[in-house]
Amino acid sequence: MQTIYFLFVGALVLLHFIATISASISIANNHNNSASDLNALLAFKAAIFDPQRIIPTNWSTSTSVCSWIGITCNARHHRVAAIDLSYMGIAGTIPPQLGNLSFLVRLNVMNNSFHGHLPPELSRLHRLKHIELASNDFEGEFPSWLGALTALRYLSFWDNGFSGSLSGRLSNFTKLETIWLGHNFFTGNLSEEFSALPKLKFLEIQQNQLVGPLPRALFNLSSLQKIGFTNNSLSGYLPAHICDYLPQLQGIYLSWNYFEGEIPSGIGECSGLQVLSLSYNKFRGYIPKEFWNLTTLTEIYLGGYDLTGL
Ligand SMILES: *[C@@H]1O[C@H](CO)[C@@H](O)[C@H](O)[C@H]1NC(C)=O
Ligand SMILES: *[C@@H]1O[C@H](CO)[C@@H](O)[C@H](O)[C@H]1NC(C)=O
Ligand SMILES: *[C@@H]1O[C@H](CO)[C@@H](O)[C@H](O)[C@H]1NC(C)=O
Ligand SMILES: *[C@@H]1O[C@H](CO)[C@@H](O)[C@H](O)[C@H]1NC(C)=O
Ligand SMILES: *[C@@H]1O[C@H](CO)[C@@H](O)[C@H](O)[C@H]1NC(C)=O
Ligand SMILES: *[C@@H]1O[C@H](CO)[C@@H](O)[C@H](O)[C@H]1NC(C)=O
Ligand SMILES: *[C@@H]1O[C@H](CO)[C@@H](O)[C@H](O)[C@H]1NC(C)=O
Ligand SMILES: *[C@@H]1O[C@H](CO)[C@@H](O)[C@H](O)[C@H]1NC(C)=O
Ligand SMILES: CC(=O)N[C@H]1CO[C@H](CO)[C@@H](O)[C@@H]1O
């Protein structure tokens, strides 16, 4: 009888022990993951200069990071899923620890005064879909490690100080829908890499220093709605049947470049075209008569060179 009793108590103790251990393991794991998010955001906080002192006071360790201003956590794991610090009048850098936010889907620091290079640790953010850095002072080359972010759908470096060659840098983003790289100092030729971007809708790389022709692959991206390369040093001829494979195209912005030859007659097949901006190039000859079939056009820019037929 006593032996049985001892066995029973022993079993209870053992069960309790197992339960306690597994509970503390799961708490430790959870704690560990949240702790890594907390560490990453504390490193970010330390790298931010906020003259209005919103972040220094709001990002307080006495509350969960999920209630911090600009931070959104995902409902299931309570992990940091989005950072939105846009239009906050803050300055600073992006610290390498941000690469530890393994559940991050959106990063938006638009319209602030962030500077410096993007740390390569960000290449670990495999869930990142949306990166919005527009209107800051970031610099450095278009990062080659960015190609590891294969989930990206939206990429904006608009109006920063990025430089260096863009050639071959865009080939891995098979899900990318929007590229905004305008108003930087990118150089180099565009390559046929665009054939790897089947989902691309908006391509805007105006006011950079790109040279050479537009890659033919560009005119095969059937999702494209907007092609914007205003004010680069691009040259060459536009394909005669420019819209054959671009049924969604709404805007062509190619003013202030060195394109030559005739304006392609195939323009008349761009049935959804609303904006055609080709001024200040080296086009010659006639305005194609097919042009007048484009009933959707709302804006046309053709000034700055010798054309007849208008
Ligand atoms: C967090 O836990 C994981 C396993 O769940 C482990 O691989 C990792 O090293 C831990 N990190 C820290 C900082 O303790
Ligand atoms: C931080 O900001 C959030 C959102 O505005 C607010 O709900 C929270 O109370 C603030 N926390 C502190 C400590 O100021
Ligand atoms: C976070 O990132 C930093 C720098 O990339 C690294 O040293 C650190 O070990 C990482 N892990 C945690 C849990 O903070
Ligand atoms: C594209 O992705 C592959 C595999 O992830 C990687 O090895 C390669 O370096 C990436 N290319 C670029 C240009 O980032
Ligand atoms: C790159 O552009 C330059 C300048 O227009 C041109 O001479 C060269 O042939 C181009 N290279 C390629 C590979 O397109
Ligand atoms: C564009 O697509 C057409 C039809 O699918 C194909 O024949 C052509 O080779 C493609 N061109 C480029 C540059 O990818
Ligand atoms: C073209 O870009 C240069 C800088 O690269 C700028 O100085 C110039 O004003 C721009 N021209 C137009 C017409 O936007
Ligand atoms: C333009 O419209 C006229 C009829 O209005 C038609 O005959 C002609 O084929 C059209 N041209 C193009 C290029 O669509
Ligand atoms: C730093 C920066 O780009 N600031 C701009 C933020 O947006 C306002 C209004 O859109 C501009 O006036 C600032 O120059």
Side-chain angles (χ1 to χ4, degrees):
M1 189 62 188
Q2 244 181 358
T3 331
I4 290 171
Y5 176 75
F6 268 119
L7 274 179
F8 180 67
V9 170
L12 271 184
V13 167
L14 191 66
L15 267 178
H16 176 73
F17 187 65
I18 289 171
T20 316
I21 286 215
S22 51
S24 58
I25 283 176
S26 84
I27 284 170
N29 268 342
N30 220 344
H31 186 70
N32 154 353
N33 289 335
S34 321
S36 123
D37 280 8
L38 176 64
N39 285 340
L41 290 182
L42 287 177
F44 198 17
K45 178 184 176 181
I48 290 174
F49 172 68
D50 179 358
Q52 299 174 74
R53 302 205 48 80
I54 294 168
I55 287 177
T57 51
N58 189 282
W59 286 21
S60 151
T61 47
S62 60
T63 58
S64 151
V65 299
C66 300
S67 66
W68 290 3
I69 197 162
I71 304 298
T72 307
C73 291
N74 69 27
R76 203 145 72 100
H77 305 95
H78 301 288
R79 301 290 306 278
V80 173
I83 298 179
D84 182 353
L85 300 180
S86 56
Y87 297 93
M88 285 191 69
I90 55 182
T93 55
I94 304 284
Q97 286 86 346
L98 232 56
N100 289 348
L101 294 174
S102 46
F103 281 76
L104 196 67
V105 176
R106 296 172 74 91
L107 174 63
N108 182 359
V109 298
M110 178 180 182
N111 191 274
N112 286 294
S113 300
F114 281 97
H115 66 276
H117 294 237
L118 299 176
E121 285 79 3
L122 297 187
S123 66
R124 305 209 298 256
L125 300 174
H126 295 300
R127 290 183 172 88
L128 197 63
K129 289 183 180 167
H130 191 105
I131 180 163
E132 171 61 273
L133 307 179
S135 297
N136 280 284
D137 303 315
F138 288 110
E139 59 184 345
E141 301 212 346
F142 188 89
S144 55
W145 50 259
L146 211 65
L149 301 179
T150 48
L152 269 192
R153 282 158 171 73
Y154 183 101
L155 170 67
S156 172
F157 285 4
W158 180 268
D159 193 14
N160 274 279
F162 288 105
S163 57
S165 174
L166 212 50
S167 298
R169 299 292 197 189
L170 301 170
S171 52
N172 265 17
F173 305 112
T174 52
K175 294 181 176 145
L176 206 55
E177 293 172 4
T178 302
I179 297 180
W180 291 81
L181 300 177
H183 295 253
N184 281 285
F185 304 97
F186 289 121
T187 56
N189 297 62
L190 297 161
S191 65
E192 297 296 329
E193 66 202 277
F194 285 101
S195 58
L197 307 173
K199 300 268 170 66
L200 198 60
K201 292 180 184 162
F202 303 100
L203 175 61
E204 308 236 24
I205 319 191
Q206 55 265 58
Q207 202 149 316
N208 278 280
Q209 291 150 20
L210 303 173
V211 299
L214 286 179
R216 286 301 175 254
L218 195 61
F219 300 98
N220 263 15
L221 302 179
S222 56
S223 302
L224 262 188
Q225 296 178 22
K226 202 165 178 181
I227 300 178
F229 287 101
T230 305
N231 198 8
N232 278 278
S233 298
L234 297 170
S235 56
Y237 300 82
L238 299 181
H241 299 283
I242 187 165
C243 281
D244 275 9
Y245 303 108
L246 302 178
Q248 320 268 358
L249 197 65
Q250 293 171 9
I252 302 177
Y253 300 79
L254 299 176
S255 292
W256 298 95
N257 280 286
Y258 301 105
F259 291 110
E260 58 186 313
E262 295 184 356
I263 293 179
S265 57
I267 277 282
E269 285 142 37
C270 305
S271 56
L273 198 65
Q274 291 165 19
V275 181
L276 179 65
S277 177
L278 299 176
S279 47
Y280 299 97
N281 277 285
K282 289 158 65 181
F283 292 114
R284 301 173 65 233
Y286 293 90
I287 308 274
K289 58 182 184 312
E290 290 81 359
F291 209 77
W292 309 112
N293 283 22
L294 286 172
T295 52
T296 50
L297 267 182
T298 56
E299 295 173 50
I300 309 172
Y301 304 93
L302 295 173
Y305 43 82
D306 295 332
L307 282 173
T308 40
L310 263 178

